[in-house]
Amino acid sequence: MENLSKELIGASSIPIILSILSKNESYGYEIIQRIKELSEGKINYADGTLYPVLHKLEKKELIEAYWKVAETGRRRKYYRIKSKGKKELAREQENWITINTIISKLWNIEPRLT
Amino acid sequence: MENLSKELIGASSIPIILSILSKNESYGYEIIQRIKELSEGKINYADGTLYPVLHKLEKKELIEAYWKVAETGRRRKYYRIKSKGKKELAREQENWITINTIISKLWNIEPRLT
DNA sequence: TGTTATACTTAGAACTTCTATGTATATTGA
DNA sequence: TCAATATACATAGAAGTTCTAAGTATAACA
């Protein structure tokens, strides 16, 4: 994955995926494209990396899946966020803000993620 | 570790430690206290968690260590950042800003870590 | 009709992290 | 004075996670 550290990508993947799904239902392949687009190409998940994350989130009941056949005739597994997932997302947002505050203090930058 | 997710703590620990050392030389025990203080108690590294991280950074030549006997008579292993560590810190800061930008877009918040 | 893009799955290799345990000494306070 | 606590560091390996690599399948396109 390009230049971004694996740790940061790992730490951000769940909040990012939950955020995407909190706006619209989506499916694996589209989520990968969306993240690539949002990051301007800096984060490029391999499919084999993202799908297991989706399965994990599903197992934890943060999201749920159903199969749908697209107009194209191709079948896709759509995911939607569950209420447990929304709560988790809120928690993740708080965490992110906390860490950002600490880092901002150290770097002498005013935090804005508040 | 309290409520903060392990992933986030993991992703932030190296930039945080390098930042602390970029201001002053310090030693393990003090770094733990400093992080606890900065995070208002939210991040409380176990010593067995932090020391291996310091060893790893030393091995990668981002920091270097030397023993010193404090006024108290107690011996401490002080760490100071090396130029390679400063470069790494700069890279980590950029990464952090990149991820923050993505997250800000998703959360409709204006990023300030820029 | 061959190649590329779309779409998903999963075993297990590879890696990381933290727990648990150990050592040692200074300080505090009962 | 001596027990408890705080300071200070080290590390084996348990426990966990993540990603690579390989596989299946079909639509679109040239």
Side-chain angles (χ1 to χ4, degrees):
Chain A
M1 206 92 65
E2 313 274 317
N3 47 32
L4 280 172
S5 76
K6 279 190 183 179
E7 289 81 38
L8 247 192
I9 290 177
S12 60
S13 68
I14 291 176
I16 287 176
I17 293 167
L18 289 179
S19 290
I20 289 173
L21 293 179
S22 76
K23 304 201 169 168
N24 294 295
E25 299 180 3
S26 189
Y27 55 96
Y29 194 85
E30 191 181 50
I31 293 171
I32 291 170
Q33 305 307 318
R34 179 90 179 102
I35 292 176
K36 193 193 282 187
E37 177 198 318
L38 279 166
S39 69
E40 283 152 27
K42 283 175 195 147
I43 302 180
N44 198 355
Y45 276 100
D47 49 3
T49 302
L50 184 77
Y51 290 115
V53 177
L54 290 172
H55 298 159
K56 187 176 82 179
L57 294 178
E58 195 185 359
K59 205 168 174 188
K60 288 168 108 182
E61 300 190 298
L62 302 181
I63 62 179
E64 63 189 354
Y66 62 98
W67 286 97
K68 194 156 104 179
V69 176
E71 327 76 52
T72 64
R74 194 181 279 288
R75 76 202 236 295
R76 294 171 180 158
K77 197 171 185 178
Y78 276 79
Y79 289 94
R80 77 164 73 89
I81 194 166
K82 298 185 73 172
S83 77
K84 202 170 160 188
K86 283 182 195 163
K87 278 178 207 149
E88 177 59 20
L89 175 58
R91 240 192 314 275
E92 300 262 10
Q93 288 177 326
E94 269 178 54
N95 287 348
W96 203 267
I97 288 165
T98 301
I99 294 283
N100 245 288
T101 305
I102 296 166
I103 285 198
S104 303
K105 278 184 206 162
L106 279 168
W107 296 351
N108 300 315
I109 298 171
E110 283 186 34
R112 172 83 72 87
L113 280 182
T114 47
Chain B
M1 205 94 63
E2 313 272 316
N3 46 33
L4 280 172
S5 77
K6 279 189 184 181
E7 288 81 37
L8 248 193
I9 290 178
S12 59
S13 68
I14 290 176
I16 288 176
I17 292 166
L18 289 179
S19 290
I20 289 173
L21 292 180
S22 76
K23 304 200 172 171
N24 293 296
E25 298 181 4
S26 188
Y27 54 96
Y29 193 85
E30 192 181 49
I31 293 171
I32 292 170
Q33 306 306 319
R34 179 88 180 103
I35 293 177
K36 193 194 282 186
E37 181 198 316
L38 279 166
S39 68
E40 283 152 28
K42 283 175 195 149
I43 302 180
N44 199 354
Y45 276 99
D47 50 3
T49 302
L50 184 75
Y51 290 116
V53 176
L54 290 172
H55 298 160
K56 187 175 82 178
L57 295 177
E58 195 184 358
K59 206 168 173 185
K60 289 167 109 182
E61 300 189 297
L62 303 180
I63 62 179
E64 63 188 352
Y66 62 98
W67 286 97
K68 191 156 104 179
V69 176
E71 326 76 53
T72 64
R74 194 182 278 289
R75 76 200 234 298
R76 293 170 180 157
K77 197 172 187 177
Y78 275 81
Y79 289 93
R80 77 164 72 91
I81 195 166
K82 297 184 74 172
S83 77
K84 203 170 160 189
K86 283 181 196 165
K87 278 178 207 148
E88 175 60 20
L89 175 58
R91 241 191 315 273
E92 299 264 8
Q93 288 178 325
E94 269 179 53
N95 287 348
W96 203 267
I97 289 166
T98 300
I99 294 284
N100 246 289
T101 305
I102 297 167
I103 286 199
S104 303
K105 279 183 205 162
L106 279 167
W107 297 350
N108 301 317
I109 299 171
E110 286 187 30
R112 172 83 72 86
L113 279 184
T114 47

